[in-house]
Amino acid sequence: MTKILIGLLLVFFKLNINFLDISLIYSFTNLIGYTLIFFGVKEVGRRYEAVGKALPLVSFMIFHSLAFLILNVTGNSPLLLPLNSYLAVISYVGLAFVIAGMFMVYVIISRLIEDLEEEMGVTSHTKRLKKLCVIMMIAFVLLGMFYFLFSTLPGISQMLMGVLIMLQIIFLIEFYNTFLKSSNSTVAER
């Protein structure tokens, strides 16, 4: 679970509070984060078989992160293409893939929590984690809507990004308290 926690920390890591971040650091931390999540899920999947169901999603995100890292390193990010050219379709498709990739972390998190609940049972802690994940998903969708629909009011999207970052921090703390602390206390009892 430690690898999953560190991986989530790296995926959530942002140097700016803009909705779209195409910096090399963001792409690199995503790649390392999803790779750690992959190995963490694989490790936990040995004990809890249902958790292994999340591996294809995480594998896809490793490929996604690697592809966008390569595009950003080479200066070919679809988000940097001019929208008034014949490449506009590529730019919009690239934007859709970026946003889908940003949202995928929440899908992976909720899948992991559901799989762990299937194996370990539902607790008040896992219920709280699921609620936090849903709230983060809603905040992400609202953030995207405000970023694109109300671009003349950038303060709102930056405020929502701050809220999302705070929710992510709360989630990581709760994740730590739920899984890592409880597994350490279980090992100490044995």
PDB file of all heavy atoms in Angstrom, residues 117-138:
ATOM      1  N   GLU A 117     -12.846  -3.410  -0.528  1.00  0.00           N
ATOM      2  CA  GLU A 117     -14.061  -3.678   0.252  1.00  0.00           C
ATOM      3  C   GLU A 117     -14.570  -5.089  -0.013  1.00  0.00           C
ATOM      4  O   GLU A 117     -15.057  -5.765   0.892  1.00  0.00           O
ATOM      5  CB  GLU A 117     -15.157  -2.671  -0.094  1.00  0.00           C
ATOM      6  CG  GLU A 117     -14.995  -1.339   0.559  1.00  0.00           C
ATOM      7  CD  GLU A 117     -16.137  -0.386   0.241  1.00  0.00           C
ATOM      8  OE1 GLU A 117     -16.802  -0.544  -0.804  1.00  0.00           O
ATOM      9  OE2 GLU A 117     -16.355   0.531   1.049  1.00  0.00           O
ATOM     10  N   GLU A 118     -14.447  -5.541  -1.251  1.00  0.00           N
ATOM     11  CA  GLU A 118     -14.870  -6.894  -1.615  1.00  0.00           C
ATOM     12  C   GLU A 118     -14.063  -7.929  -0.846  1.00  0.00           C
ATOM     13  O   GLU A 118     -14.590  -8.951  -0.408  1.00  0.00           O
ATOM     14  CB  GLU A 118     -14.684  -7.084  -3.122  1.00  0.00           C
ATOM     15  CG  GLU A 118     -15.193  -8.388  -3.666  1.00  0.00           C
ATOM     16  CD  GLU A 118     -14.987  -8.487  -5.177  1.00  0.00           C
ATOM     17  OE1 GLU A 118     -15.327  -7.513  -5.886  1.00  0.00           O
ATOM     18  OE2 GLU A 118     -14.485  -9.523  -5.618  1.00  0.00           O
ATOM     19  N   GLU A 119     -12.782  -7.650  -0.658  1.00  0.00           N
ATOM     20  CA  GLU A 119     -11.904  -8.597   0.024  1.00  0.00           C
ATOM     21  C   GLU A 119     -11.925  -8.447   1.545  1.00  0.00           C
ATOM     22  O   GLU A 119     -11.930  -9.426   2.264  1.00  0.00           O
ATOM     23  CB  GLU A 119     -10.458  -8.422  -0.469  1.00  0.00           C
ATOM     24  CG  GLU A 119     -10.242  -8.807  -1.907  1.00  0.00           C
ATOM     25  CD  GLU A 119     -10.209 -10.306  -2.127  1.00  0.00           C
ATOM     26  OE1 GLU A 119     -10.063 -11.066  -1.155  1.00  0.00           O
ATOM     27  OE2 GLU A 119     -10.344 -10.723  -3.288  1.00  0.00           O
ATOM     28  N   MET A 120     -11.911  -7.199   2.035  1.00  0.00           N
ATOM     29  CA  MET A 120     -11.751  -6.942   3.459  1.00  0.00           C
ATOM     30  C   MET A 120     -13.059  -6.588   4.163  1.00  0.00           C
ATOM     31  O   MET A 120     -13.108  -6.562   5.381  1.00  0.00           O
ATOM     32  CB  MET A 120     -10.744  -5.795   3.664  1.00  0.00           C
ATOM     33  CG  MET A 120      -9.372  -6.116   3.129  1.00  0.00           C
ATOM     34  SD  MET A 120      -8.238  -4.709   3.006  1.00  0.00           S
ATOM     35  CE  MET A 120      -8.392  -3.886   4.541  1.00  0.00           C
ATOM     36  N   GLY A 121     -14.078  -6.255   3.396  1.00  0.00           N
ATOM     37  CA  GLY A 121     -15.338  -5.841   3.994  1.00  0.00           C
ATOM     38  C   GLY A 121     -15.457  -4.322   4.024  1.00  0.00           C
ATOM     39  O   GLY A 121     -14.463  -3.599   3.981  1.00  0.00           O
ATOM     40  N   VAL A 122     -16.695  -3.869   4.124  1.00  0.00           N
ATOM     41  CA  VAL A 122     -16.983  -2.439   4.152  1.00  0.00           C
ATOM     42  C   VAL A 122     -16.784  -1.920   5.575  1.00  0.00           C
ATOM     43  O   VAL A 122     -17.276  -2.506   6.534  1.00  0.00           O
ATOM     44  CB  VAL A 122     -18.434  -2.169   3.685  1.00  0.00           C
ATOM     45  CG1 VAL A 122     -18.765  -0.692   3.764  1.00  0.00           C
ATOM     46  CG2 VAL A 122     -18.649  -2.700   2.276  1.00  0.00           C
ATOM     47  N   THR A 123     -16.041  -0.829   5.684  1.00  0.00           N
ATOM     48  CA  THR A 123     -15.838  -0.185   6.990  1.00  0.00           C
ATOM     49  C   THR A 123     -16.214   1.292   6.865  1.00  0.00           C
ATOM     50  O   THR A 123     -16.410   1.801   5.759  1.00  0.00           O
ATOM     51  CB  THR A 123     -14.366  -0.287   7.445  1.00  0.00           C
ATOM     52  OG1 THR A 123     -13.558   0.483   6.542  1.00  0.00           O
ATOM     53  CG2 THR A 123     -13.882  -1.730   7.472  1.00  0.00           C
ATOM     54  N   SER A 124     -16.273   1.957   7.991  1.00  0.00           N
ATOM     55  CA  SER A 124     -16.565   3.393   7.956  1.00  0.00           C
ATOM     56  C   SER A 124     -15.448   4.150   7.244  1.00  0.00           C
ATOM     57  O   SER A 124     -15.683   5.155   6.583  1.00  0.00           O
ATOM     58  CB  SER A 124     -16.768   3.942   9.372  1.00  0.00           C
ATOM     59  OG  SER A 124     -15.590   3.774  10.144  1.00  0.00           O
ATOM     60  N   HIS A 125     -14.232   3.640   7.344  1.00  0.00           N
ATOM     61  CA  HIS A 125     -13.096   4.290   6.680  1.00  0.00           C
ATOM     62  C   HIS A 125     -13.193   4.164   5.158  1.00  0.00           C
ATOM     63  O   HIS A 125     -12.950   5.118   4.432  1.00  0.00           O
ATOM     64  CB  HIS A 125     -11.766   3.701   7.156  1.00  0.00           C
ATOM     65  CG  HIS A 125     -11.487   3.951   8.593  1.00  0.00           C
ATOM     66  ND1 HIS A 125     -11.180   5.195   9.086  1.00  0.00           N
ATOM     67  CD2 HIS A 125     -11.479   3.110   9.654  1.00  0.00           C
ATOM     68  CE1 HIS A 125     -10.981   5.121  10.393  1.00  0.00           C
ATOM     69  NE2 HIS A 125     -11.166   3.872  10.766  1.00  0.00           N
ATOM     70  N   THR A 126     -13.538   2.969   4.672  1.00  0.00           N
ATOM     71  CA  THR A 126     -13.652   2.807   3.221  1.00  0.00           C
ATOM     72  C   THR A 126     -14.843   3.592   2.683  1.00  0.00           C
ATOM     73  O   THR A 126     -14.774   4.116   1.573  1.00  0.00           O
ATOM     74  CB  THR A 126     -13.763   1.325   2.821  1.00  0.00           C
ATOM     75  OG1 THR A 126     -14.868   0.720   3.480  1.00  0.00           O
ATOM     76  CG2 THR A 126     -12.484   0.574   3.135  1.00  0.00           C
ATOM     77  N   LYS A 127     -15.906   3.690   3.472  1.00  0.00           N
ATOM     78  CA  LYS A 127     -17.047   4.515   3.050  1.00  0.00           C
ATOM     79  C   LYS A 127     -16.624   5.975   2.919  1.00  0.00           C
ATOM     80  O   LYS A 127     -16.993   6.657   1.976  1.00  0.00           O
ATOM     81  CB  LYS A 127     -18.201   4.409   4.052  1.00  0.00           C
ATOM     82  CG  LYS A 127     -18.965   3.123   3.985  1.00  0.00           C
ATOM     83  CD  LYS A 127     -20.099   3.161   4.993  1.00  0.00           C
ATOM     84  CE  LYS A 127     -20.827   1.846   5.065  1.00  0.00           C
ATOM     85  NZ  LYS A 127     -21.893   1.870   6.085  1.00  0.00           N
ATOM     86  N   ARG A 128     -15.823   6.435   3.878  1.00  0.00           N
ATOM     87  CA  ARG A 128     -15.341   7.822   3.849  1.00  0.00           C
ATOM     88  C   ARG A 128     -14.430   8.051   2.645  1.00  0.00           C
ATOM     89  O   ARG A 128     -14.512   9.080   1.970  1.00  0.00           O
ATOM     90  CB  ARG A 128     -14.627   8.148   5.158  1.00  0.00           C
ATOM     91  CG  ARG A 128     -14.416   9.614   5.387  1.00  0.00           C
ATOM     92  CD  ARG A 128     -13.864   9.946   6.758  1.00  0.00           C
ATOM     93  NE  ARG A 128     -13.290   8.833   7.472  1.00  0.00           N
ATOM     94  CZ  ARG A 128     -13.653   8.458   8.708  1.00  0.00           C
ATOM     95  NH1 ARG A 128     -14.561   9.121   9.360  1.00  0.00           N
ATOM     96  NH2 ARG A 128     -13.071   7.439   9.296  1.00  0.00           N
ATOM     97  N   LEU A 129     -13.567   7.072   2.340  1.00  0.00           N
ATOM     98  CA  LEU A 129     -12.695   7.185   1.171  1.00  0.00           C
ATOM     99  C   LEU A 129     -13.514   7.238  -0.120  1.00  0.00           C
ATOM    100  O   LEU A 129     -13.201   8.001  -1.028  1.00  0.00           O
ATOM    101  CB  LEU A 129     -11.710   6.013   1.113  1.00  0.00           C
ATOM    102  CG  LEU A 129     -10.519   6.090   2.049  1.00  0.00           C
ATOM    103  CD1 LEU A 129      -9.724   4.795   2.015  1.00  0.00           C
ATOM    104  CD2 LEU A 129      -9.624   7.261   1.710  1.00  0.00           C
ATOM    105  N   LYS A 130     -14.558   6.424  -0.210  1.00  0.00           N
ATOM    106  CA  LYS A 130     -15.414   6.434  -1.397  1.00  0.00           C
ATOM    107  C   LYS A 130     -16.108   7.782  -1.549  1.00  0.00           C
ATOM    108  O   LYS A 130     -16.193   8.320  -2.657  1.00  0.00           O
ATOM    109  CB  LYS A 130     -16.442   5.306  -1.315  1.00  0.00           C
ATOM    110  CG  LYS A 130     -15.866   3.946  -1.651  1.00  0.00           C
ATOM    111  CD  LYS A 130     -16.839   2.836  -1.402  1.00  0.00           C
ATOM    112  CE  LYS A 130     -17.809   2.680  -2.537  1.00  0.00           C
ATOM    113  NZ  LYS A 130     -18.656   1.473  -2.387  1.00  0.00           N
ATOM    114  N   LYS A 131     -16.586   8.346  -0.442  1.00  0.00           N
ATOM    115  CA  LYS A 131     -17.236   9.658  -0.497  1.00  0.00           C
ATOM    116  C   LYS A 131     -16.247  10.729  -0.941  1.00  0.00           C
ATOM    117  O   LYS A 131     -16.574  11.587  -1.754  1.00  0.00           O
ATOM    118  CB  LYS A 131     -17.840  10.025   0.859  1.00  0.00           C
ATOM    119  CG  LYS A 131     -19.089   9.257   1.196  1.00  0.00           C
ATOM    120  CD  LYS A 131     -19.612   9.639   2.571  1.00  0.00           C
ATOM    121  CE  LYS A 131     -20.775   8.751   2.957  1.00  0.00           C
ATOM    122  NZ  LYS A 131     -21.209   8.966   4.342  1.00  0.00           N
ATOM    123  N   LEU A 132     -15.048  10.679  -0.391  1.00  0.00           N
ATOM    124  CA  LEU A 132     -14.016  11.644  -0.795  1.00  0.00           C
ATOM    125  C   LEU A 132     -13.701  11.519  -2.279  1.00  0.00           C
ATOM    126  O   LEU A 132     -13.528  12.525  -2.973  1.00  0.00           O
ATOM    127  CB  LEU A 132     -12.737  11.431   0.020  1.00  0.00           C
ATOM    128  CG  LEU A 132     -12.633  12.150   1.343  1.00  0.00           C
ATOM    129  CD1 LEU A 132     -11.444  11.634   2.143  1.00  0.00           C
ATOM    130  CD2 LEU A 132     -12.514  13.636   1.141  1.00  0.00           C
ATOM    131  N   CYS A 133     -13.642  10.297  -2.770  1.00  0.00           N
ATOM    132  CA  CYS A 133     -13.360  10.084  -4.194  1.00  0.00           C
ATOM    133  C   CYS A 133     -14.475  10.671  -5.049  1.00  0.00           C
ATOM    134  O   CYS A 133     -14.205  11.318  -6.064  1.00  0.00           O
ATOM    135  CB  CYS A 133     -13.175   8.595  -4.467  1.00  0.00           C
ATOM    136  SG  CYS A 133     -12.587   8.265  -6.137  1.00  0.00           S
ATOM    137  N   VAL A 134     -15.721  10.459  -4.663  1.00  0.00           N
ATOM    138  CA  VAL A 134     -16.854  11.018  -5.416  1.00  0.00           C
ATOM    139  C   VAL A 134     -16.804  12.540  -5.381  1.00  0.00           C
ATOM    140  O   VAL A 134     -17.007  13.206  -6.402  1.00  0.00           O
ATOM    141  CB  VAL A 134     -18.193  10.484  -4.859  1.00  0.00           C
ATOM    142  CG1 VAL A 134     -19.372  11.263  -5.421  1.00  0.00           C
ATOM    143  CG2 VAL A 134     -18.338   9.008  -5.161  1.00  0.00           C
ATOM    144  N   ILE A 135     -16.495  13.106  -4.230  1.00  0.00           N
ATOM    145  CA  ILE A 135     -16.405  14.569  -4.116  1.00  0.00           C
ATOM    146  C   ILE A 135     -15.275  15.095  -4.992  1.00  0.00           C
ATOM    147  O   ILE A 135     -15.414  16.135  -5.651  1.00  0.00           O
ATOM    148  CB  ILE A 135     -16.230  14.996  -2.637  1.00  0.00           C
ATOM    149  CG1 ILE A 135     -17.507  14.668  -1.849  1.00  0.00           C
ATOM    150  CG2 ILE A 135     -15.900  16.477  -2.525  1.00  0.00           C
ATOM    151  CD1 ILE A 135     -17.353  14.797  -0.348  1.00  0.00           C
ATOM    152  N   MET A 136     -14.139  14.371  -5.037  1.00  0.00           N
ATOM    153  CA  MET A 136     -13.035  14.794  -5.903  1.00  0.00           C
ATOM    154  C   MET A 136     -13.442  14.723  -7.367  1.00  0.00           C
ATOM    155  O   MET A 136     -13.090  15.596  -8.161  1.00  0.00           O
ATOM    156  CB  MET A 136     -11.789  13.933  -5.662  1.00  0.00           C
ATOM    157  CG  MET A 136     -11.082  14.235  -4.366  1.00  0.00           C
ATOM    158  SD  MET A 136      -9.475  13.407  -4.171  1.00  0.00           S
ATOM    159  CE  MET A 136      -9.906  11.686  -4.208  1.00  0.00           C
ATOM    160  N   MET A 137     -14.197  13.689  -7.747  1.00  0.00           N
ATOM    161  CA  MET A 137     -14.671  13.567  -9.131  1.00  0.00           C
ATOM    162  C   MET A 137     -15.583  14.746  -9.488  1.00  0.00           C
ATOM    163  O   MET A 137     -15.446  15.338 -10.562  1.00  0.00           O
ATOM    164  CB  MET A 137     -15.442  12.260  -9.331  1.00  0.00           C
ATOM    165  CG  MET A 137     -14.608  11.037  -9.394  1.00  0.00           C
ATOM    166  SD  MET A 137     -15.709   9.616  -9.642  1.00  0.00           S
ATOM    167  CE  MET A 137     -14.560   8.290  -9.682  1.00  0.00           C
ATOM    168  N   ILE A 138     -16.492  15.080  -8.589  1.00  0.00           N
ATOM    169  CA  ILE A 138     -17.407  16.200  -8.830  1.00  0.00           C
ATOM    170  C   ILE A 138     -16.629  17.506  -8.944  1.00  0.00           C
ATOM    171  O   ILE A 138     -16.875  18.315  -9.839  1.00  0.00           O
ATOM    172  CB  ILE A 138     -18.481  16.269  -7.726  1.00  0.00           C
ATOM    173  CG1 ILE A 138     -19.417  15.064  -7.831  1.00  0.00           C
ATOM    174  CG2 ILE A 138     -19.266  17.575  -7.796  1.00  0.00           C
ATOM    175  CD1 ILE A 138     -20.344  14.884  -6.641  1.00  0.00           C
TER     176      ILE A 138
END
